[in-house]
Amino acid sequence: MTFDACGGPQGDQYDEDLVEFLIENRIKASLFINKRWAEQNPEKTKELADNPLFRIENHGTDHVPLSVSGQTAWGIQGTQSEEEVLNEVGEAQKELTQLTGEPPVFFRSGTAYYDEVAVAIVEEAGLEVLGFDVAGDAGATYSAEEVKKALLDSRPGSIPLLHMNQPGSGTAEGVKKAVPKLLEEGYEFVHPHDYPLHRQ
């Protein structure tokens, strides 16, 4: 399970109900935190980092698509040069490392869009790009039933992408409905850094 915390004017909230469910049920998850969210929630970021169920990962500085030519995704202008790519990755990496004492291993850009040159830059900076194959809540716009259905479409090795910064969304309720069924089917929840990943 991976959850993004995007930051910004509409994205710096915290879905306590969702996270408490994960903790109560011992569900491991990777939390992709944007620099803006971390700056608005520094104590919460530290608290989450101290919980062994969670891994704090890099979700960028300004939450933009990663490109060297300004490509847009979901109507958001991407980075436009190698320098901007490095800033988008590096400033967040510095902030998260200072807050948690542990450098993130994975990077996911805002919108999860990358061009190939940007991916190479991220890898040269010492991080690995982590994508997803299950759009778990469609940017926190899904109803609880839609979240449940999306998660139940997971396969072994799937990486669902959901959000932990929109407590008014259907994400928490959908996760609560789906996780027990996935556990009954024999799934377990793991951290990606514990397993070899394959680029598709």
Side-chain angles (χ1 to χ4, degrees), residues 50-187:
D50 287 340
N51 190 319
L53 288 172
F54 304 132
R55 295 279 301 188
I56 304 301
E57 306 296 356
N58 185 335
H59 195 36
T61 300
D62 293 318
H63 194 260
V64 295
L66 216 63
S67 167
V68 292
S69 59
Q71 290 293 317
T72 61
W74 300 96
I76 300 173
Q77 175 77 51
T79 51
Q80 302 184 60
S81 66
E82 180 175 339
E83 181 180 4
E84 288 187 13
V85 169
L86 287 169
N87 285 339
E88 179 65 13
V89 177
E91 291 302 312
Q93 188 77 356
K94 186 191 315 181
E95 178 76 13
L96 293 169
T97 302
Q98 288 175 345
L99 275 175
T100 69
E102 186 81 22
V105 173
F106 292 107
F107 177 84
R108 175 183 287 152
S109 69
T111 75
Y113 173 87
Y114 318 86
D115 64 28
E116 291 185 9
V117 177
V119 170
I121 293 170
V122 173
E123 291 175 347
E124 288 172 9
L127 289 97
E128 186 170 358
V129 169
L130 189 73
F132 67 98
D133 70 322
V134 175
D137 63 6
T141 64
Y142 275 175
S143 68
E145 282 302 315
E146 288 172 319
V147 171
K148 173 186 171 184
K149 181 180 184 304
L151 290 176
L152 293 180
D153 285 339
S154 297
R155 300 167 297 165
S158 279
I159 300 175
L161 187 161
L162 303 106
H163 291 77
M164 54 172 276
N165 65 316
Q166 298 291 340
S169 74
T171 301
E173 285 306 311
V175 168
K176 289 179 184 181
K177 291 179 177 184
V179 162
K181 292 184 177 298
L182 290 169
L183 291 171
E184 286 173 11
E185 291 176 12
Y187 283 92

